[in-house]
Amino acid sequence: AGAASSAARRDACVREAHTAGATAAATALVVAGVAVAVATRFAPTLHAALSASSATALVVTPAFGAYFLNSHLALSECARRRRS
């Protein structure tokens, strides 16, 4: 019973971390997407200098970073709560 409840608490922490990461990634994706779209629309030099791949990288890199950072922080906070 102890192992099952420990596994359930661990799974709850993983779900919490995934939710926190996904929320942060979605937010970062919207903000970065709008920023890149506006920048390429109103800065002709930037528009000419960026390929589709580099514009995509400018949008998805902050989203990946936000996901990993926030999921790690949520997982660490959940583990801290479990220990106390």
Side-chain angles (χ1 to χ4, degrees):
S5 73
S6 177
R9 287 193 310 259
R10 183 190 66 232
D11 290 345
C13 283
V14 170
R15 278 192 305 276
E16 182 181 325
H18 174 67
T19 302
T23 302
T27 303
L29 198 61
V30 169
V31 170
V34 168
V36 170
V38 167
T40 56
R41 172 76 172 94
F42 293 109
T45 306
L46 182 64
H47 179 73
L50 288 180
S51 66
S53 296
S54 59
T56 302
L58 286 173
V59 173
V60 299
T61 302
F64 285 138
Y67 177 84
F68 289 117
L69 176 64
N70 282 280
S71 62
H72 176 73
L73 291 173
L75 195 58
S76 296
E77 176 61 23
C78 190
R80 187 192 62 75
R81 284 194 318 263
R82 283 178 60 193
R83 283 192 300 269
S84 49

